[in-house]
Amino acid sequence: MRSGIAVVLLGFFLFGCASGPKNWANQPVEVKKNSPVVFIYPETNIYQEATVGVLPFQVPANMSREQGEGVAMLFKDVLLGKQAFPRVLRLAEHYRDMEEALALGRRAKVDLVLAGKVNYVLEGTQFGGGRVEVATRLLNVHTGNTVWYIEQSMDQPVAYPKNSTLSRFVAAFNPPEIKPSQGGPVVPNMLAQVAVDMVEVMAGARSVSR
């Protein structure tokens, strides 16, 4: 499970490098994770044996279509790793609306289709400031009804460097600080955490780890 997510995260990083000089924030600045907000859910979960197709995620203008496909692959891997459903497929076709999403699910002969959207992504800087907002809708392809609709966001506060007179005075008489080792890219890590939380909710969890 962890190795699979690591591969996907590496893919995100490579996509970011390939599409331009993106500066994925990678300093160990604390991230604030908000709990998933569940708007629609089944009163009785009768979908444990359902097959699921995961469509490419719709993304904002500052992300590429390939990154949207990478988010879909991430959710597919987490769905399989958490054993939320017995069979999970990644569907390659992009969709414009829910009707197209349902049609693609029927064509793939799955019971449910996951239509997700990254509403907002802010890469941040070395001082933090990253943000991610994601929404997922799990649709029943036979009825057209929404089984689950979940939204979640994560924020990385800005850690401004100390620039007071006292801090400059102290720095003048001390050797340069040894920087701690950098963490992984923040935006992909936030997306991975969102995927884990949302899948745990779909699998029946009533709460997620903070």
Side-chain angles (χ1 to χ4, degrees), residues 25-34 123-131 154-160 180 183-184 186-187 189-190 193 210:
N26 57 8
Q27 294 293 330
V29 178
E30 181 183 0
V31 172
K32 176 185 177 183
K33 182 174 75 170
N34 300 314
E123 297 172 5
T125 69
Q126 62 179 331
F127 301 114
R131 179 175 174 81
M154 294 188 69
D155 299 278
Q156 186 190 36
V158 177
Y160 293 104
V186 169
V187 166
N189 275 319
M190 288 196 287
Q193 291 183 56
R210 300 291 296 180

